[in-house]
Every structure is written in structure tokens, then in C-alpha cells.
Amino acid sequence: MAAWSERLAGVRGVLLDISGVLYDGGEGGGAAIAGSVEAVARLKRSRLKVRFCTNESQKSRADLVGLLRRLGFDVSEGEVTAPAPAACLILKQRGLRPHLLVHDGVRSEFDQIDTSNPNCVVIADAGEDFSYRNMNKAFQVLMELENPVLFSLGKGRYYKETSGLMLDVGPYMKALEYACGIEAEVVGKPSPEFFKSALQEMGVEAHEAIMIGDDIVGDVGGAQQYGMRALQVRTGKFR
């Protein structure tokens, strides 16, 4: 087995997942994972470029950064690549008006987006708002469209909070795909466009970067398919 120095040769940038890598969410905002605050600080003192790449879709980017800073992390909003702002850019570029099935905590990200007379659906980790009524409304909007478009902010199966494992957006995305006979466009990991955007912000090429995450599919698999190196931590959803 190659030594770490060989495996990491040529690496200029590190992409860090947040949930399950830096902290576990939960009551009172959650808790930092042991050693993570110090690890981020060491990375930032090194010659490596550091960026945070998350599928978090229950909080706005500003609220997420505020939480991380309260937990002791040195992070700014401009260092975070998140799916909601990326989705807004796509919606504006394509002239789409979404029906939003999202958590109230991230709804502010869409304040500048026209949601009247929707011609697509955006689904995110809506938590307790994943009721039959809300899922059925999203289904109805899609079925009334001649060319239904469904965006999903990530497609994770589950994640870990301090109280245990929690269902993520993926199972609900799959339900709408099955019911409507369509395939969702994923905004977030493991989408190649999402990794591309994060790397462009860092100014490094895929072969010069490593992704660190707890999700073997979204973090590790997605990064490797895009040509990056990847490392799975034994925290968060790791089993």
C-alpha cells in the first residue's frame, strides 16, 4: 500500500464536507466532532487551499456559517459551496419558476426567485415538512407540466444527527421520480457540475484536489468520478 506522501503527491486543495465530518447537527445546533476544529485550523495554516462543499439544505449558507463559527470553526460564507445558491443560479439562467418543497430554514435563499405559476419543482431536505400533503402538491405540480422538471438539492439517503440517523432528501426525490416517471436533476454532490463549481472557486484542477467526506456515494464516489482523490472519514454516517 502506497505511503500517504505518495497518495497525496500533487494535492493543492482540500474540499471538506460539513455534516458528519465537522459536526453532527441536532438539538441546540449540534456539536463539533472531536478534533475537527483543530483539523480545519491546521489545514488553513498549511500551503493547501481549503473549501467547504456541503449538501446542507435545511439552513441558508449564512445560518450554516454562523453555526460553524459558534462551534469554533474558522469559516466564512464565501468559502462554502452549497446547493441552494447553485440552484438559484440555474433557475435564473433557465427562466424557471419553482414550486418549493424545502425547509423553512433555507427558504430565504430563494427570496429573489419568482415562484408564481411554477413550471418546475425544487425539493430539499424539508424535514418535518415532508408530509403527504406537501409531497402530493409537488407531485401534482409536476404532473400538470408538459415537460416536468424536478431539481433535488443533493440525493443523500440519510445523515447523522446527535440523536441518531435521519432520512435525507434522496428517498423523497425517488418517490417523486417514480410517481411521475421522470429523473431529477441533482444540484449538489455527487453532481459533476457541483464539484466543478467548487474547484473553480478554489482555482485548482480535479487531479490536484482531495474530497473528505462521510458519504461513500455522494462525497467519495462523486469526487472520484470527477477525477479527484477522496477520503472517507469514520464519523457521521460511516458504518
Side-chain angles (χ1 to χ4, degrees):
M1 185 177 291
W4 278 108
S5 58
E6 295 177 38
R7 293 185 189 183
L8 299 178
V11 168
R12 296 178 51 231
V14 177
L15 287 178
L16 290 171
D17 182 29
I18 294 178
S19 177
V21 175
L22 303 187
Y23 87 111
D24 288 325
E27 190 173 347
I33 292 170
S36 59
V37 173
E38 295 80 4
V40 170
R42 285 183 64 187
L43 280 172
K44 287 199 160 191
R45 289 195 301 268
S46 76
R47 58 178 177 78
L48 297 169
K49 297 183 178 181
V50 179
R51 189 162 185 84
F52 303 87
C53 190
T54 179
N55 276 358
E56 171 62 60
S57 63
Q58 282 199 355
K59 302 177 184 66
S60 69
R61 189 161 50 171
D63 287 345
L64 176 61
V65 167
L67 170 62
L68 291 174
R69 292 183 69 86
R70 288 194 296 276
L71 292 175
F73 293 98
D74 174 17
V75 57
S76 65
E77 198 170 335
E79 294 175 302
V80 178
T81 298
C88 289
L89 184 60
I90 293 170
L91 294 169
K92 290 177 180 177
Q93 289 172 340
R94 292 166 56 176
L96 293 171
R97 303 178 303 279
H99 169 78
L100 298 173
L101 178 47
V102 302
H103 195 280
D104 284 345
V106 80
R107 196 170 290 272
S108 62
E109 296 277 22
F110 297 89
D111 282 349
Q112 303 305 312
I113 300 295
D114 181 7
T115 57
S116 63
N117 190 26
N119 56 4
C120 70
V121 168
V122 172
I123 184 174
D125 180 11
E128 297 297 329
D129 288 328
F130 274 135
S131 63
Y132 173 81
R133 178 179 179 181
N134 290 342
M135 283 288 288
N136 197 55
K137 177 60 179 176
F139 163 73
Q140 290 173 336
V141 170
L142 288 167
M143 291 298 284
E144 289 170 2
L145 297 172
E146 182 177 354
N147 298 300
V149 177
L150 171 64
F151 294 102
S152 181
L153 305 192
K155 64 172 187 178
R157 293 179 297 161
Y158 57 87
Y159 56 91
K160 182 177 179 292
E161 290 196 342
T162 52
S163 60
L165 298 178
M166 313 292 287
L167 277 177
D168 203 346
V169 65
Y172 301 95
M173 176 199 81
K174 287 294 185 183
L176 290 176
E177 285 185 330
Y178 178 67
C180 301
I182 60 175
E183 185 174 347
E185 297 183 37
V186 177
V187 182
K189 298 171 292 185
S191 164
E193 288 299 316
F194 197 66
F195 285 117
K196 178 181 178 181
S197 173
L199 292 174
Q200 286 178 336
E201 291 287 347
M202 293 175 74
V204 302
E205 300 295 326
H207 70 276
E208 300 174 317
I210 185 169
M211 174 76 212
I212 299 176
D214 66 328
D215 190 320
I216 194 68
V217 176
D219 297 327
V220 175
Q224 289 177 336
Q225 286 180 356
Y226 192 65
M228 299 165 57
R229 281 165 273 194
L231 184 151
Q232 185 184 25
V233 295
R234 297 191 175 203
T235 54
K237 69 176 68 173
F238 174 81
R239 290 293 178 272

